[in-house]
Amino acid sequence: MKKILLSTAAVVATAGSALAGGVAAPVMEPIIAPVVVAQAPVGAWQGGYAGANLSWGKVGIDTAPDDLDGAGIALRGGYDWQNGNTVFGLGADYDFGKQKRDFAGNEVALKNAGTIFARLGYDANGWLPYASLGYTWAKMEATGGFSETVNGYTIGLGVERKFTPNWAGYAEISHTNFGEISSTAPGIEADMQKVKLGVNYRF
């Protein structure tokens, strides 16, 4: 009996020694989260828009001693497509304003100018500088019953800035060459310059 107790004590002591120094605790490998690189929004300018602008313009006529001038308000709408940083768009606006001048009691005025245009721009991180080319028509009137539709090409430079994902403001200057303004008085030409400040809602 004594030998059995001694043998059992030896086995227990040996097992305890092995557990105390021979079994290592498991080591957990750290979990490495994947690195996410922030990407700039793709197609931030693509889509339709509608808006309005305030303008001031002047019209020069070859035979007039002074320019016609005046303010206007216009509605604008269009659609843009985007490929990388390049933005291409088609649009139109209609100005309800009038540029006019009184010459010795005879008023000459240009009003109701509409424009259809194409524009090409560059997405510069929330800014969109652009150039445009379009076709403009308007009504020219004078005291005495003269009334004629004039038309010509328009070139413009502008910049649009997003303030929210849907709202943007823009500033633009444009030049319109109407060419000859009257079939009854050939050789008389007119042109128009405008400055526009507006807002667009993009959807």
Side-chain angles (χ1 to χ4, degrees), residues 64-88:
D66 294 303
D67 293 336
L68 318 182
D69 59 28
I73 183 170
L75 299 179
R76 172 175 287 198
Y79 194 94
D80 290 321
W81 294 266
Q82 184 164 351
N83 183 10
N85 291 102
T86 302
V87 179
F88 172 75

Side-chain angles (χ1 to χ4, degrees), residues 69-138:
D69 59 28
I73 183 170
L75 299 179
R76 172 175 287 198
Y79 194 94
D80 290 321
W81 294 266
Q82 184 164 351
N83 183 10
N85 291 102
T86 302
V87 179
F88 172 75
L90 296 174
D93 67 16
Y94 189 84
D95 194 328
F96 297 92
K98 177 189 291 188
Q99 287 75 48
K100 62 182 181 178
R101 179 72 66 181
D102 188 277
F103 299 106
N106 297 312
E107 184 181 274
V108 179
L110 183 128
K111 64 181 185 179
N112 300 339
T115 301
I116 54 176
F117 61 87
R119 70 175 183 171
L120 182 65
Y122 182 83
D123 183 357
N125 193 26
W127 294 86
L128 182 69
Y130 62 87
S132 63
L133 177 64
Y135 170 78
T136 297
W137 67 95

